[in-house]
Amino acid sequence: MSKKRSLRTMAASAAAIGAAGWATKKVLDTTKEKKEQLVKEEIADRTYDTDEHVYLIGGGIATLSAALYLIRDAQFPAEQIHVIEALDVLGGSNDGAGSNEEGFVCRGGRMLNEETYENFWDLFDSVPSLDMPNRSVTEEILNFDHLHPTHAQARLVDGQGEIVDTTTMGFSNEDRLELTKLLLTPEDQLDEMTIEQWFNDDFFETNFWYMWQTTFAFQKWSSVFELRRYMNRMLLEFSRINTLEGVTRTPLNQYESLVLPLYEVLKEKGVDFTLNETVTDIDFANDDTITATRLHFKNRQPLDLTAKDVVMMTSGCMTDSATLGSLDQAPEHPEQPPLSGELWYKISLKKKGLGNPAPFFGKEAETNWHSFTVTAKGDALLKRIEQFSGNIPGSGALMTFKDSNWLMSSVVAAQPHFKSQDPDTTIFWGYGLYPYEKGNFVDKRMVDCTGEEILYEYISHLGWQDDWEAIKKDIVNVIPCYMPYIDAQFQPRKMSDRPAVVPENSTNFAMLGQFVEIPEDMVFTEEYSIRAARIAVYTLFDIDLPIEPVTPHNRNPKVLAKALQTMYR
């Protein structure tokens, strides 16, 4: 056989193999589509009795998402869905409130990510935007974010008020080895181990650690396998952690951008909402199953459940027991126990498989941090921050003072951040990871400081003390917020301490939120709560449709190559 003929034969064979592979994929895709269509047709034909009800305990993003999944994917009657919230407002940790006269406040801010929030984008693509006609919330957010890209130019600031060169991660060979070893270590070998038990002391002085810690709010004593999950899940962000280019922002605060449009669509469909009511306990059947039989309330008589009813409860809320201060008053130490944690504790004693809240809600000294929201008249202060950082509002994400005793960071969002915010009013948010330490410039612990004292500490890190009186005259309010359990989800734990979303042997009960176990995914994200809600609904309502999988960026050769290059920067 001639060389040319041999090449033609090989090319023909390769083409045939390629065509066969393409044909096989097409057949598989078609089969999958047909199966999904049959499942959807079966669900569309379902009928539910009028005495079938779903009770969603807690009014945060997890339960609101579960309500929409019930309506959208299970075709469950909206008027038979009941959301029960202990506070006088929905939204859980996705909050935002205030006025131009009294000042605005966000207890925290949730950064989104376009590449890893798979179920988040799918869900909110079903929610109409309140401000962009004929657009979904997903389209609204991504449109805004693409028009306001993030590229931090002052990610770290040192003790002399100088911007740190963060193009290098600052790793030693020992750091690289320990980090690589962690990514390869099975999780079952990491029970109850902390980050500081895994790494050498020098690791915690690297640029990488300061940036990773403050971006995601890790502590040295946080669980090392939560860090491992973050590294694997967010490996795509590793190479751009110094600019935070992967951060996706909502047009406004998360309450107005996420919670309100989701609430509006649920209310319009007929979902029942009860505020200012606490579920204090849940009874279960006295058998080997996990079957909820009765709900107990703070302000009304117990509710007996039928065999057809379903209960989904928020197993814990990171902003439970949060307290607020003001310009001239520090937040009081909370006297109220964590409501969601208390309920979880009670039911965990009744049935095996419902997890263990003690590692998360039993060590306040390890799980707290302090945030603050600054409201000012005019934009003089924001202009000063812009001139220092090189970032216009909305483009810089976090700026961290790495030598701050409080490990203080700030975020200047695009203005306005609230719908009711006047054009001549500006706001920005910040937080400190070590609020029980004394400040560098204010001789008080952050938890004991008024809003004014916190702002003085902040501007002092920028070297602006001489201009304090001029800065202060524009300030409307600085609202500090103490959150005793905000980092609880990162606590060292056993794998068994978090319950499955639908515990083994459950017939009508699921647990939602940040304290359930979802392998491969990462806590402290909107995606985690929404994924949990989808798992709960699909499992308890026998919906044989795919849930958006965790995207394996950590197995993408290009991502791995960039991560390796970043390790040696």
Side-chain angles (χ1 to χ4, degrees):
M1 184 182 293
S2 69
K3 186 176 180 181
K4 287 185 178 180
R5 185 175 178 185
S6 176
L7 289 172
R8 286 197 298 269
T9 302
M10 290 173 63
S13 298
I17 293 171
W22 178 83
T24 301
K25 183 179 184 303
K26 187 173 179 66
V27 169
L28 291 174
D29 289 345
T30 302
T31 303
K32 180 183 176 183
E33 289 173 6
K34 286 182 178 179
K35 178 186 175 183
E36 291 181 9
Q37 185 58 37
L38 288 173
V39 171
K40 290 176 181 179
E41 289 174 0
E42 181 273 322
I43 293 172
D45 290 336
R46 290 183 187 181
T47 57
Y48 297 95
D49 294 335
T50 56
D51 61 348
E52 290 183 65
H53 296 268
V54 177
Y55 298 93
L56 302 171
I57 302 172
I61 198 76
T63 52
L64 298 181
S65 300
L68 186 55
Y69 282 129
L70 283 164
I71 297 166
R72 189 190 79 173
D73 297 349
Q75 301 294 304
F76 194 82
E79 62 275 9
Q80 290 164 229
I81 300 171
H82 311 277
V83 178
I84 306 165
E85 168 56 50
L87 303 179
D88 59 1
V89 63
L90 296 169
S93 300
N94 286 277
D95 62 342
S99 66
N100 295 287
E101 296 74 28
E102 301 296 326
F104 294 94
V105 62
C106 295
R107 290 177 297 181
R110 307 288 166 259
M111 292 183 288
L112 310 179
N113 184 262
E114 187 171 349
E115 292 89 352
T116 60
Y117 280 38
E118 300 90 355
N119 293 280
F120 176 94
W121 301 119
D122 173 79
L123 179 87
F124 277 99
D125 205 32
S126 305
V127 179
S129 164
L130 297 180
D131 299 313
M132 296 182 70
N134 303 316
R135 295 285 188 94
S136 69
V137 169
T138 289
E139 291 172 313
E140 178 187 32
I141 294 173
L142 293 180
N143 177 70
F144 175 84
D145 183 70
H146 294 167
L147 292 173
H148 300 79
T150 298
H151 188 98
Q153 300 186 77
R155 182 62 189 86
L156 296 180
V157 179
D158 67 19
Q160 287 70 50
E162 299 292 331
I163 296 173
V164 176
D165 177 9
T166 54
T167 55
T168 172
M169 297 294 102
F171 289 137
S172 67
N173 285 333
E174 185 180 2
D175 297 329
R176 297 181 186 106
L177 181 62
E178 289 174 343
L179 194 55
T180 303
K181 183 181 176 182
L182 176 61
L183 296 177
L184 298 174
T185 301
E187 286 186 351
D188 59 11
Q189 296 180 22
L190 302 173
D191 268 9
E192 299 183 300
M193 186 177 290
T194 67
I195 296 171
E196 61 187 341
Q197 288 172 329
W198 184 271
F199 290 98
N200 69 86
D201 290 343
D202 291 341
F203 173 81
F204 299 104
E205 297 300 322
T206 62
N207 285 342
F208 165 79
W209 173 249
Y210 281 116
M211 292 187 288
W212 197 271
Q213 176 186 22
T214 53
T215 299
F216 303 115
F218 278 101
Q219 301 280 18
K220 294 178 185 179
W221 52 84
S222 296
S223 165
V224 75
F225 73 62
E226 297 304 338
L227 175 63
R228 179 187 182 278
R229 286 191 180 182
Y230 259 78
M231 287 299 300
N232 276 304
R233 186 79 158 101
M234 299 294 281
L235 196 61
L236 185 67
E237 302 309 315
F238 181 53
S239 62
R240 52 192 188 187
I241 191 66
N242 59 316
T243 62
L244 293 174
E245 290 175 53
V247 169
T248 303
R249 290 289 188 185
T250 53
L252 298 169
N253 61 86
Q254 274 99 30
Y255 180 76
E256 291 180 301
S257 287
L258 300 178
V259 175
L260 276 184
L262 184 50
Y263 166 69
E264 288 296 333
V265 76
L266 295 175
K267 182 179 71 170
E268 181 182 341
K269 291 180 181 297
V271 172
D272 171 51
F273 292 93
T274 299
L275 303 182
N276 296 303
E277 183 56 272
T278 304
V279 176
T280 58
D281 204 355
I282 302 172
D283 292 340
F284 295 92
N286 188 24
D287 57 26
D288 293 336
T289 69
I290 295 178
T291 302
T293 59
R294 176 180 291 183
L295 300 181
H296 295 266
F297 301 93
K298 182 179 180 180
N299 301 312
R300 61 183 184 183
Q301 293 299 308
L303 173 68
D304 290 323
L305 304 171
T306 72
K308 300 175 183 178
D309 293 335
V310 168
V311 175
M312 301 182 192
M313 66 163 272
T314 306
S315 56
C317 178
M318 65 183 73
T319 49
D320 266 356
S321 307
T323 57
L324 299 177
S326 65
L327 189 67
D328 54 11
Q329 183 176 341
E332 295 182 359
H333 190 274
E335 297 180 359
Q336 184 183 32
L339 293 175
S340 57
E342 289 283 288
L343 178 59
W344 183 13
Y345 178 75
K346 287 179 182 178
I347 68 166
S348 71
L349 299 178
K350 297 182 178 184
K351 289 285 183 178
K352 291 182 179 180
L354 299 184
N356 174 25
F360 309 107
F361 291 97
K363 296 182 179 179
E364 182 186 332
E366 296 180 2
T367 59
N368 71 86
W369 44 261
H370 216 71
S371 72
F372 59 97
T373 311
V374 178
T375 304
K377 281 294 179 187
D379 63 353
L381 181 53
L382 260 59
K383 281 292 185 185
R384 291 190 71 146
I385 297 172
E386 177 184 333
Q387 288 165 4
F388 173 83
S389 67
N391 285 110
I392 63 172
S395 72
L398 279 173
M399 180 170 70
T400 295
F401 302 108
K402 64 182 288 290
D403 297 321
S404 161
N405 292 345
W406 299 343
L407 195 52
M408 182 183 266
S409 301
S410 66
V411 178
V412 180
Q415 307 291 307
H417 198 51
F418 291 83
K419 280 187 179 179
S420 62
Q421 189 177 327
D422 287 343
D424 67 339
T425 298
T426 52
I427 73 112
F428 74 93
W429 177 88
Y431 82 110
L433 272 174
Y434 301 142
Y436 278 88
E437 299 294 330
K438 288 187 176 181
N440 301 67
F441 303 93
V442 175
D443 190 28
K444 294 172 70 174
R445 303 182 307 171
M446 191 178 189
V447 292
D448 300 322
C449 285
T450 66
E452 181 176 328
E453 290 166 332
I454 290 173
L455 182 59
Y456 181 78
E457 177 81 9
Y458 177 84
I459 65 101
S460 297
H461 278 290
L462 293 163
W464 299 341
Q465 299 97 311
D466 291 345
D467 301 323
W468 172 237
E469 293 302 323
I471 291 170
K472 190 168 66 171
K473 70 179 178 60
D474 293 334
I475 301 303
V476 174
N477 206 348
V478 181
I479 301 178
C481 176
Y482 176 67
M483 294 174 282
Y485 306 109
I486 188 65
D487 251 4
Q489 65 281 343
F490 285 148
Q491 281 294 94
R493 62 178 177 94
K494 295 177 182 176
M495 190 69 71
S496 59
D497 288 334
R498 281 196 195 140
V501 175
V502 179
E504 188 176 357
N505 298 323
S506 171
T507 65
N508 72 341
F509 183 73
M511 301 178 78
L512 307 178
Q514 298 294 310
F515 296 91
V516 294
E517 179 57 28
I518 305 176
E520 296 187 346
D521 212 347
M522 56 187 183
V523 294
F524 211 7
T525 63
E526 308 282 11
E527 171 67 17
Y528 203 85
S529 290
I530 292 172
R531 185 181 292 274
R534 197 170 193 177
I535 291 171
V537 171
Y538 280 31
T539 303
L540 290 177
F541 284 82
D542 193 23
I543 299 174
D544 190 17
L545 291 173
I547 292 172
E548 297 293 333
V550 170
T551 306
H553 292 297
N554 60 332
R555 294 197 290 274
N556 183 315
K558 291 183 179 179
V559 173
L560 289 169
K562 278 190 175 182
L564 182 61
Q565 184 183 32
T566 301
M567 265 195 173
Y568 285 88
R569 269 193 343 218

